[in-house]
Amino acid sequence: MKIVNLLVGGPTDLWPNDLKLGKIKDNWIGVDRGSFRLIEMGINPIVSIGDYDSMNDEELSIVKSHVNDLRTFDPIKDDTDTQLALKIANKELKADIINIYGATGGRLDHFLSNFLMMTEPRYKKIVSKIRIIDNQNTISYFLPGSHTIKKELDKKYLAYLPLNEMNLTLNDVKYTLDNYHVARPISFASNEFIGTKANFSFDKGILSVIQSKDS
């Protein structure tokens, strides 16, 4: 199973510890300043993309000396840098799992852009591959059907976020639902596993599931 990680430009204090310690050694795409931050940790991205306006000349020079595939984009474009990186991870690098780091914290509009872009029809085929990860949360996305998720050892809470109207069933959790009709986007927050796995099903659209812990 091929994992491709993306590092975008969110605050470093929200990185998970393994990332802060440079222990995540899978394939990396650096998004703008994310490339420089990876290099600082001794990780050379496979691909670096962005307009690089967040770096000074010296930092950009360092990135150019460490990355063989550096792609520069005009800041005025239809897609965000993260969207471009997703395309590369899926189509060029053939990722089975795409983990996005550095996408939380900082500007709220940036986070919402990253979180909600999975609702775009063009991502339907890959949405289940994508996770947004920080030091307290793992955000996953699911398409209609029946699913089983495993509890992450360090996480206590579960949240189910229907991103559209659907009928939702939740099992093996503290607060269950039985074919409950969800009329609008909502967060069923602060649920909990009662074991090591939880099962759920829904009939249409996209459901986001968040495993989280207190800081």
Side-chain angles (χ1 to χ4, degrees):
M1 183 172 291
K2 186 174 185 180
I3 299 173
V4 175
N5 301 304
L6 280 55
L7 183 60
V8 301
T12 59
D13 62 317
L14 296 182
W15 289 0
N17 286 332
D18 283 351
L19 176 56
K20 291 178 181 178
L21 297 173
K23 291 184 177 180
I24 303 174
K25 299 296 186 181
D26 299 301
N27 307 288
W28 281 96
I29 297 175
V31 181
D32 209 271
R33 189 168 186 79
S35 298
F36 180 72
R37 288 173 170 168
L38 286 169
I39 293 165
E40 284 188 306
M41 294 186 291
I43 300 170
N44 291 339
I46 297 174
V47 181
S48 174
I49 71 166
D51 54 38
Y52 305 108
D53 61 355
S54 65
M55 285 184 274
N56 60 40
D57 291 343
E58 181 180 357
E59 291 168 339
L60 182 55
S61 178
I62 291 172
V63 170
K64 288 180 177 179
S65 69
H66 283 80
V67 181
N68 293 325
D69 188 350
L70 186 142
R71 309 184 191 186
T72 303
F73 294 90
D74 193 303
I76 302 174
K77 55 188 181 297
D78 292 332
D79 288 334
T80 67
D81 290 337
T82 305
Q83 288 172 317
L84 294 169
L86 277 177
K87 183 177 180 180
I88 294 168
N90 181 56
K91 292 190 175 181
E92 297 184 32
L93 301 182
K94 309 298 182 184
D96 297 303
I97 296 174
I98 303 171
N99 294 325
I100 305 175
Y101 297 90
T104 59
R107 284 177 51 181
L108 188 57
D109 60 328
H110 283 175
F111 167 70
L112 290 173
S113 174
N114 290 325
F115 178 74
L116 292 173
M117 71 181 172
M118 310 312 169
T119 62
E120 292 186 42
R122 59 175 162 162
Y123 295 118
K124 183 176 181 179
K125 292 183 178 180
I126 68 168
V127 69
S128 58
K129 297 181 181 183
I130 299 168
R131 301 187 300 178
I132 298 175
I133 302 172
D134 67 15
N135 63 337
Q136 289 181 248
N137 310 276
T138 300
I139 304 172
S140 302
Y141 299 87
F142 295 88
L143 294 173
S146 298
H147 303 276
T148 300
I149 53 172
K150 294 181 180 180
K151 183 181 184 298
E152 296 182 17
L153 292 178
D154 65 331
K155 303 296 194 301
K156 179 179 180 180
Y157 301 108
L158 265 175
Y160 297 89
L161 284 78
L163 299 180
N164 45 261
E165 183 180 8
M166 64 175 62
N167 294 302
L168 176 63
T169 296
L170 305 178
N171 293 313
D172 312 307
V173 289
K174 189 173 182 178
Y175 307 106
T176 61
L177 293 175
D178 184 10
N179 200 35
Y180 179 80
H181 179 69
V182 180
R184 57 180 175 79
I186 191 173
S187 174
F188 295 104
S190 297
N191 212 327
E192 299 179 32
F193 288 90
I194 57 174
T196 59
K197 297 179 180 179
N199 293 285
F200 61 93
S201 61
F202 64 104
D203 60 350
K204 59 183 176 181
I206 296 173
L207 178 71
S208 177
V209 178
I210 304 176
Q211 295 197 48
S212 61
K213 63 181 179 181
D214 292 317
S215 58

